[in-house]
Amino acid sequence: INAEYGGFNPRTMRVQLWCGLWVAVVVPGVLLGLYSTVAAQGGMMNLAEKLMDWLESDQPADDNLSRATLATVLGGKPAIRAIQGFLDTYAEPDGVVDRLVKVVVDGVEREALVHLPPNLEQHPALVLNYHAWGSSPAIHQKFAGMDLWADGSGAIVAYPRGLELAPSPLGWIGFSHNAGGCCPGASTKQVDDVQFARALVDELVKTLGVNPARVFVTGMSNGGMMVQRLVCEAGEMLAAAASVAGYLADDSWDQQQEWEIGGWKMPAAVGAVWGRDRRYHCNRSLGEGKQAVPLLHIHGMEDRLVPPAGSDWIGMVSLEKATAIHRARLECSEEATPALVNRSVACRSWCGAARNLTVCEVGGGGHGWPGSRWPGPSNQDMDATREIWEFFRRYDLHNLSQVP
């Protein structure tokens, strides 16, 4: 451009610099910020609000240049307002029927987004619904679509928020739960998410009159792994559980296997992230006074992130092995009965009703929540939320032996 206009031109040079800055820094930064916000919520939205406040405020004269420069780089106030509008779409709901409940665990404040139905029962059932790794309560609330079912039955749905941010090559992208062998950063810092679940249930029993005999838990991916940890370590407070696209992240996986890459030997799992020392031991024997928590497990057979065949690289047991472990935990025989067959979905059931284990294999299904249409359609041969709700409504801690 400079050569065409007859040599160096300060004005065109500034245009070149701004264009280069947009392409190399600003555009990737804004896209990464938006991505992080959709997962983590709040950070970029607060930044956009502060930027607007600063740009519209009366600053001293010597600050005008920096304020004008920043406005130019970001595309001016209209661009920032557009970013605000986009982020507001994904803001944590704070309406009448949703509230933020906080509890203190080991001196740390933890929180959950709690959905209250308009026709709240006197002693409502409670569903703990755990988000995936790198996600948030508000994202998972839309993703699972469980509030509508809760509204129809007068139940409460609580979406616990992971404490630690989830690291990735793109930066920090949301939150994580310590499900044992997964997922960082909660697992690497050994956050006590089991105690958080206990404290949250106690708080909701005390403040909202939740029926302690009708407490259920579900979740997806890292949340589904958290479900299985709670079944193992806090089963006495659960009437039933449902895991979607998760795996059993206890010490059942053997970390002794090594991979050889270019002559270098290394553990099959990246020890600094998914280390054996951070795994828990699931007591697989019912024993006296142990609660046999019925479990529904839904898994896409084409899941690449949590493959049904398992993964030695990151320490995932196979779906078959996890099923055998839970079958032993519930003292079920190996004989299964068909529970649901619908096009690409095939479910098998063990142990009858009171100590039920049901595993649904979603043929062609990936790493998702079957039936969800947010943010895009997933496998529609099964409505996971409906099946989970139908599974839960059969159970009550006081009447497990009489469940049909």
Side-chain angles (χ1 to χ4, degrees):
I1 296 175
N2 290 332
E4 184 177 341
Y5 281 87
F8 176 77
N9 186 317
R11 185 161 180 252
T12 55
M13 178 62 75
R14 282 198 299 271
V15 172
Q16 286 177 293
L17 289 174
W18 287 127
C19 289
L21 183 62
W22 265 97
V23 172
V25 179
V26 177
V27 173
V30 170
L31 290 176
L32 179 58
L34 294 178
Y35 174 82
S36 301
T37 303
V38 170
Q41 304 293 304
M44 187 71 178
M45 182 167 60
N46 292 336
L47 176 60
E49 292 174 351
K50 290 177 180 178
L51 282 173
M52 281 304 302
D53 290 342
W54 183 71
L55 289 173
E56 293 178 344
S57 65
D58 293 327
Q59 297 291 333
D62 59 359
D63 194 43
N64 286 338
L65 178 60
S66 60
R67 188 163 70 252
T69 301
L70 181 60
T72 303
V73 170
L74 292 177
K77 296 179 183 178
I80 299 177
R81 290 195 187 279
I83 293 173
Q84 278 185 300
F86 175 83
L87 297 174
D88 286 343
T89 305
Y90 297 99
E92 298 279 3
D94 57 356
V96 176
V97 295
D98 293 310
R99 66 175 63 174
L100 201 61
V101 173
K102 300 182 180 182
V103 295
V104 177
V105 180
D106 295 332
V108 178
E109 188 175 75
R110 305 295 304 273
E111 62 183 44
L113 180 65
V114 177
H115 177 79
L116 304 179
N119 58 331
L120 185 64
E121 294 183 349
Q122 186 174 4
H123 296 291
L126 168 65
V127 178
L128 301 179
N129 198 339
Y130 283 84
H131 63 74
W133 182 77
S135 186
S136 75
I139 294 294
H140 188 62
Q141 183 183 38
K142 294 179 175 68
F143 189 64
M146 188 162 280
D147 293 352
L148 290 176
W149 289 92
D151 291 348
S153 64
I156 294 172
V157 186
Y159 301 88
R161 198 199 78 176
L163 177 64
E164 291 296 327
L165 291 171
S168 83
L170 295 176
W172 302 94
I173 56 164
F175 302 96
S176 58
H177 309 292
N178 179 13
C182 186
C183 294
S187 63
T188 51
K189 296 187 178 180
Q190 301 188 51
V191 174
D192 195 344
D193 280 318
V194 174
Q195 185 57 33
F196 172 37
R198 294 182 189 276
L200 180 60
V201 170
D202 289 344
E203 176 69 15
L204 297 179
V205 168
K206 180 176 65 176
T207 58
L208 297 177
V210 163
N211 182 352
R214 303 206 68 223
V215 175
F216 308 95
V217 62
T218 187
M220 178 192 156
S221 191
N222 182 200
M225 302 168 201
M226 192 66 213
V227 167
Q228 299 194 48
R229 181 166 194 171
L230 290 175
V231 165
C232 292
E233 297 194 324
E236 77 285 347
M237 73 175 187
L238 301 174
S243 174
V244 179
Y247 73 98
L248 186 62
D250 72 341
D251 58 4
S252 57
W253 172 74
D254 183 7
Q255 196 186 351
Q256 300 308 310
Q257 181 180 350
E258 291 184 330
W259 286 49
E260 185 170 337
I261 302 177
W264 291 85
K265 289 187 176 181
M266 58 189 301
V270 183
V273 178
W274 282 278
R276 184 185 182 92
D277 59 327
R278 300 183 182 95
R279 293 171 180 268
Y280 63 98
H281 179 70
C282 181
N283 189 341
R284 297 164 204 151
S285 174
L286 288 179
E288 185 176 355
K290 287 284 185 180
Q291 173 61 36
V293 182
L295 174 66
L296 169 63
H297 187 143
I298 301 171
H299 214 106
M301 300 312 289
E302 298 299 324
D303 191 330
R304 303 302 185 196
L305 294 179
V306 184
S311 170
D312 286 329
W313 178 246
I314 54 177
M316 295 181 185
V317 299
S318 66
L319 178 60
E320 180 182 1
K321 184 173 182 178
T323 299
I325 290 171
H326 284 298
R327 205 168 56 228
R329 176 183 62 82
L330 293 165
E331 298 179 352
C332 300
S333 68
E334 294 186 11
E335 185 177 353
T337 57
L340 170 70
V341 177
N342 181 31
R343 300 179 66 180
S344 67
V345 180
C347 302
R348 296 170 293 157
S349 183
W350 292 265
C351 254
R355 296 200 312 269
N356 184 258
L357 170 65
T358 298
V359 176
C360 294
E361 299 178 352
V362 183
H367 192 68
W369 188 281
S372 175
R373 294 186 180 276
W374 192 93
S378 58
N379 185 293
Q380 298 298 307
D381 291 344
M382 179 186 201
D383 185 339
T385 301
R386 177 178 179 174
E387 294 302 325
I388 291 170
W389 205 259
E390 290 298 319
F391 187 78
F392 286 170
R393 64 188 293 270
R394 297 155 50 189
Y395 294 104
D396 183 311
L397 278 178
H398 297 325
N399 301 302
L400 281 178
S401 61
Q402 287 123 27
V403 173

